[in-house]
Amino acid sequence: MPSVLGGSHRCFQAVLLFLALTVLLLVGFLHRNVQLLMPLLGDPVQGLPVTNIMFLKTHKTASSTVLNILYRFVETHNLSAALPAGSNFQLGYPWLFVARYVEGAGPPRRFNVMCNHLRFNLPEVQKVMPEDTFYFSILRNPVSQLESSFIYYKNYVPAFRGVESLDAFLAAPGVYYNASKGMNNAYARNNMWFDFGFDSDAPAEESYVRARLADVERRFQLLLIAEHFDESMVLLRRRLRWQLDDVVSFRVNARSARTVTSLAPESRERAKRWCALDWRLYQHFNRSFWEQLHAELHPRALRREVALLRARRRELTALCLQDATPKNKTQITDRHLRPYQSGKAEILGYNLRPDLDNATLRTCQRLVMPELQYMAHLYSLQFPEKPPKDIRFLEE
Ligand SMILES: *[C@@H]1O[C@H](CO)[C@@H](O)[C@H](O)[C@H]1NC(C)=O
Ligand SMILES: *[C@@H]1O[C@H](CO)[C@@H](O)[C@H](O)[C@H]1NC(C)=O
Ligand SMILES: *[C@@H]1O[C@H](CO)[C@@H](O)[C@H](O)[C@H]1NC(C)=O
Ligand SMILES: *[C@@H]1O[C@H](CO)[C@@H](O)[C@H](O)[C@H]1NC(C)=O
Ligand SMILES: *[C@@H]1O[C@H](CO)[C@@H](O)[C@H](O)[C@H]1NC(C)=O
């Protein structure tokens, strides 16, 4: 009898061991696969997507890429956009925004998305946008922002016209910059501060700076950081409860490497002092950007989401583009996909694969469509009875 009992005991132990091993294996397997399945199942995106959005499009801050993301969302979700009225391409910039700069502005018309260049003016924006609008913007290191602005607006901005290089400008800005020489000088100093509607020539006094930063914080739910673009998209997507594909993009309106200049080290320090208000703005919101990101996502989860975004971008690159390298104007074969060129900047675009089926072609075209063409396209969809935007100059 004892031997029988002993035998069944051993048998029981063996079964237990087998079960334990199976459970261990399963846990291991599921753990790996839950991670793989996460984008399908445990998406951070729960609830209805946010569809009322105001994006303050700052200048030379990767904001054209964000614009492409918003335009695509507008088009694929049949939303309305607050577009520039008549033949205009901007919402009155550099003048302070007023509602009548918007085509078909109320009352009582309200739009879903507002994202073209404007100088922020909350009461007027609120005449056009609904109460529950999500406000966000993007900032870039003011030193690189100024470098980009100098190349792009070289012939347009009085302060830049008469000076050979940004190094020379920063060595003696007082010689070239005259605050009373009209608003186009806004591109030459504290341009982001100006875009938020503030005085870009104000002295950077502590109480003044703090009060304006608090204004921005009160109104804007999120400030993205251009230097951390992919992390920015991860955070934006969570806040808007959007799908991954909604925030995947190619870089649009970027310059060729040979039209990016490197500044002398002393110029970088001078730029921070010259654009002290922008520097404070950037430092403040770079800090809060990372605080928000870390409060919301474990660093490992953040890396995972950034990796997913990049993987999807690579997939779309392979699907859509002839090759991954951006092309200059003469290399872009489809004239409709040539981006607007400005100043000394060589603005790049893309060539699509020639063999795409119609549905894929439409998706890919939206991803690479330069902003003026895309705006003209949305305008015609939204206001078929109005004369279309005249963008023939883009194809010359
Ligand atoms: C948008 O409108 C088109 C045509 O009216 C329709 O086919 C499509 O399903 C709509 N899409 C969404 C997301 O509502
Ligand atoms: C700045 O511009 C104003 C208006 O054009 C002019 O009156 C003034 O003399 C200029 N200041 C300097 C220092 O050039
Ligand atoms: C922005 O914040 C990140 C993370 O804290 C930091 O590594 C980076 O140096 C900051 N950038 C600037 C220009 O201060
Ligand atoms: C475009 O790029 C090609 C190849 O790099 C170059 O030879 C050509 O000069 C560029 N065109 C313009 C207009 O810059
Ligand atoms: C694709 O689009 C072209 C041009 O718009 C059209 O002629 C053709 O019939 C479309 N093909 C299919 C399969 O829908």
Side-chain angles (χ1 to χ4, degrees):
M1 287 308 242
S3 73
V4 171
L5 263 182
S8 80
H9 188 67
R10 267 197 302 279
C11 183
F12 183 63
Q13 277 184 332
V15 167
L16 260 186
L17 190 66
F18 175 74
L19 276 176
L21 275 173
T22 312
V23 166
L24 265 176
L25 273 172
L26 258 177
V27 165
F29 175 80
L30 280 178
H31 181 70
R32 297 223 347 238
N33 284 271
V34 162
Q35 285 203 337
L36 288 178
L37 292 174
M38 276 297 260
L40 303 173
L41 302 171
D43 227 34
V45 175
Q46 271 169 10
L48 290 175
V50 173
T51 53
N52 291 334
I53 297 163
M54 195 280 161
F55 171 59
L56 176 62
K57 188 177 190 289
T58 46
H59 290 76
K60 315 321 300 165
T61 53
S63 64
S64 295
T65 303
V66 179
L67 192 77
N68 175 272
I69 288 170
L70 292 169
Y71 277 167
R72 280 189 284 136
F73 194 82
V74 164
E75 195 179 9
T76 53
H77 292 73
N78 295 336
L79 302 177
S80 60
L83 298 171
S87 57
N88 295 329
F89 294 115
Q90 308 195 341
L91 293 169
Y93 194 88
W95 303 100
L96 212 52
F97 176 77
V98 289
R100 67 180 159 79
Y101 292 148
V102 172
E103 186 70 74
R109 171 125 204 188
R110 299 278 170 142
F111 296 88
N112 295 114
V113 174
M114 175 183 252
C115 56
N116 288 95
H117 279 309
L118 61 80
R119 186 169 182 218
F120 195 67
N121 183 11
L122 183 62
E124 290 292 314
V125 169
Q126 283 171 325
K127 290 183 184 169
V128 181
M129 298 302 291
E131 288 276 317
D132 65 353
T133 295
F134 179 93
Y135 287 75
F136 79 109
S137 187
I138 186 165
L139 303 175
R140 178 181 183 187
N141 185 322
V143 179
S144 335
Q145 195 275 342
L146 187 64
E147 186 275 325
S148 179
S149 189
F150 183 83
I151 301 293
Y152 197 85
Y153 299 112
K154 179 73 181 73
N155 309 320
Y156 182 69
V157 170
F160 291 158
R161 240 179 249 143
V163 60
E164 195 44 45
S165 68
L166 185 55
D167 286 323
F169 175 81
L170 286 168
V175 172
Y176 306 102
Y177 180 90
N178 181 341
S180 345
K181 274 272 152 59
M183 278 204 287
N184 286 341
N185 267 341
Y187 297 103
R189 185 183 204 186
N190 293 314
N191 192 197
M192 297 184 283
W193 195 260
F194 181 87
D195 290 351
F196 276 89
F198 306 142
D199 176 5
S200 45
D201 285 310
E205 281 161 9
E206 193 56 28
S207 59
Y208 168 72
V209 171
R210 276 173 194 266
R212 297 294 79 77
L213 293 178
D215 288 343
V216 176
E217 236 155 27
R218 249 194 313 277
R219 186 62 268 175
F220 287 80
Q221 281 101 317
L222 183 60
L223 273 93
L224 305 176
I225 300 294
E227 281 77 14
H228 309 288
F229 194 81
D230 290 348
E231 289 82 0
S232 290
M233 290 305 110
V234 166
L235 193 51
L236 179 68
R237 165 164 122 86
R238 296 174 75 89
R239 293 293 161 80
L240 298 181
R241 300 188 291 272
W242 284 12
Q243 299 301 313
L244 178 62
D245 268 10
D246 296 330
V247 298
V248 181
S249 62
F250 301 143
R251 263 181 90 193
V252 298
N253 211 30
R255 271 179 302 163
S256 65
R258 63 193 182 104
T259 55
V260 176
T261 50
S262 62
L263 286 179
E266 66 269 23
S267 296
R268 307 188 67 83
E269 292 312 309
R270 284 170 178 156
K272 288 178 198 171
R273 285 198 298 274
W274 174 243
C275 296
L277 296 167
D278 270 4
W279 185 247
R280 289 293 307 275
L281 180 72
Y282 179 72
Q283 294 287 79
H284 181 87
F285 285 103
N286 181 46
R287 208 174 308 123
S288 66
F289 173 78
W290 286 101
E291 278 164 15
Q292 288 178 61
L293 204 50
H294 287 144
E296 199 152 325
L297 276 166
H298 187 276
R300 200 169 55 217
L302 173 61
R303 280 199 297 277
R304 201 188 117 258
E305 293 211 13
V306 167
L308 278 173
L309 180 74
R310 292 181 180 162
R312 185 60 183 143
R313 187 183 293 133
R314 281 193 299 274
E315 270 175 27
L316 287 170
T317 301
L319 178 73
C320 294
L321 304 184
Q322 223 168 35
D323 67 83
T325 344
K327 301 281 176 266
N328 69 24
K329 187 179 164 183
T330 48
Q331 294 168 312
I332 299 172
T333 45
D334 184 345
R335 289 183 312 150
H336 305 294
L337 297 183
R338 288 182 188 159
Y340 174 63
Q341 304 293 316
S342 176
K344 288 186 171 174
E346 183 181 37
I347 302 296
L348 305 178
Y350 299 93
N351 279 328
L352 295 179
R353 290 170 61 123
D355 53 351
L356 300 172
D357 65 73
N358 281 1
T360 314
L361 179 63
R362 260 199 303 282
T363 304
C364 295
Q365 274 170 338
R366 286 187 185 123
L367 278 161
V368 303
M369 198 181 294
E371 61 184 286
L372 292 182
Q373 283 90 330
Y374 212 148
M375 197 247 289
H377 170 65
L378 286 183
Y379 186 86
S380 297
L381 284 179
Q382 212 166 292
F383 306 102
E385 72 288 357
K386 303 252 175 198
K389 298 279 182 195
D390 185 358
I391 54 168
R392 281 170 301 184
F393 65 93
L394 290 170
E395 292 173 14
E396 282 159 7

